């Protein structure tokens, strides 16, 4: 994954963006309350509209000091707003790629795909078969990698079973429950 994708997924990046945005909005609200004598609602309205580049035409700054503050507020606030929107839109895209695509795969599971996922041929798609099949279909790994990992686990489980059981038909072999009929 790219550095940008990792950063967009990071909870600390989203918290930083939210905190920075809240700090800038609070600055605009304080300005409106203290220097322009606006209500909290009007001050919040001013701060959000100014930062989002919609403008502050409804609440013009009066006085040269206020005009300088608003100019600096816009120059610094617009990048903060765009940064926060970029972080949250990136996080939304990653969420949609990760979860919505998987959800669509679950709800569009055709009999043909279900038959492909039933790797043991018992007529049921167990959870592990479904999970492995979706990893391959979504491009997270290749089927050969899944097979190699599965065989490695089978060997380890077989070694454990030999230590704990006396027969080949050992009842302690783990089996994942929950399956869907084809």
């Amino acid at each position: 994954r790219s550095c940008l994708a990792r950063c967009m997924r990071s909870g600390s990046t989203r918290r930083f963006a939210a905190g920075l945005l809240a700090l800038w909005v609070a600055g605009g609200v304080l300005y409106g309350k203290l220097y322009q004598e606006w209500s909290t609602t009007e001050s919040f309205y001013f701060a959000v509209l100014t930062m989002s580049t919609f403008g502050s035409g409804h609440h013009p700054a009066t006085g040269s000091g206020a005009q300088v503050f608003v100019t600096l507020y816009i120059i610094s606030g617009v990048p903060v707003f765009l940064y926060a929107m970029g972080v949250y839109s990136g996080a939304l895209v990653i969420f949609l790629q990760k979860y919505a695509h998987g959800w669509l795969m679950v709800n569009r599971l055709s009999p043909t795909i279900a038959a492909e996922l039933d790797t043991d041929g018992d007529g049921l798609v167990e959870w592990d078969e479904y999970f492995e099949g979706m990893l391959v279909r979504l491009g997270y790994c290749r089927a050969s990698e899944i097979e190699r990992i599965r065989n490695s686990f089978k060997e380890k489980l077989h070694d454990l079973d030999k230590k704990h059981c006396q027969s080949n038909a050992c009842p302690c072999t783990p089996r994942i429950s929950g399956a869907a009929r084809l």
Side-chain angles (χ1 to χ4, degrees):
R1 293 219 179 238
S2 70
C3 178
L4 181 62
R6 285 191 307 273
C7 288
M8 294 299 179
R9 260 196 343 239
S10 166
S12 61
T13 302
R14 290 191 302 272
R15 285 189 296 275
F16 176 75
L20 192 59
L21 187 62
L23 182 68
W24 248 258
V25 170
V29 169
L30 284 175
Y31 159 78
K33 294 283 289 178
L34 298 176
Y35 297 105
Q36 296 296 322
E37 299 177 0
W38 295 330
S39 70
T40 304
T41 306
E42 289 173 319
S43 299
F44 181 77
Y45 180 74
F46 160 80
V48 172
L49 281 177
T50 302
M51 286 179 61
S52 62
T53 71
F54 286 111
S56 61
H58 296 295
H59 294 45
T62 55
S64 61
Q67 290 173 341
V68 169
F69 172 80
V70 171
T71 301
L72 293 174
Y73 186 74
I74 291 170
I75 290 171
S76 60
V78 169
V80 168
F81 182 79
L82 293 175
Y83 170 72
M85 292 305 105
V87 168
Y88 285 103
S89 62
L92 178 63
V93 166
I94 289 169
F95 170 81
L96 291 175
Q97 285 176 336
K98 188 173 183 180
Y99 296 105
H101 187 67
W103 181 83
L104 287 172
M105 292 298 289
V106 169
N107 290 313
R108 292 184 179 175
L109 192 61
S110 68
T112 306
I113 294 172
E116 288 175 20
L117 296 176
D118 182 22
T119 55
D120 61 5
D122 64 354
L124 298 173
V125 177
E126 282 90 13
W127 182 87
D128 57 333
E129 292 172 326
Y130 174 79
F131 184 72
E132 293 165 357
M134 288 300 111
L135 286 174
V136 172
R137 289 185 73 77
L138 295 173
Y140 288 111
C141 62
R142 293 186 297 270
S144 61
E145 293 170 329
I146 293 284
E147 189 63 32
R148 184 177 47 80
I149 292 169
R150 186 183 303 125
N151 289 336
S152 175
F153 274 102
K154 282 181 183 178
E155 290 172 14
K156 299 290 183 208
L157 286 174
H158 184 67
D159 292 344
L160 286 174
D161 287 348
K162 280 184 178 179
K163 291 179 185 176
H164 297 289
C165 297
Q166 299 300 322
S167 69
N168 289 339
C170 177
C172 63
T173 302
R175 181 81 170 145
I176 297 174
S177 63
R181 289 237 173 249
L182 293 178

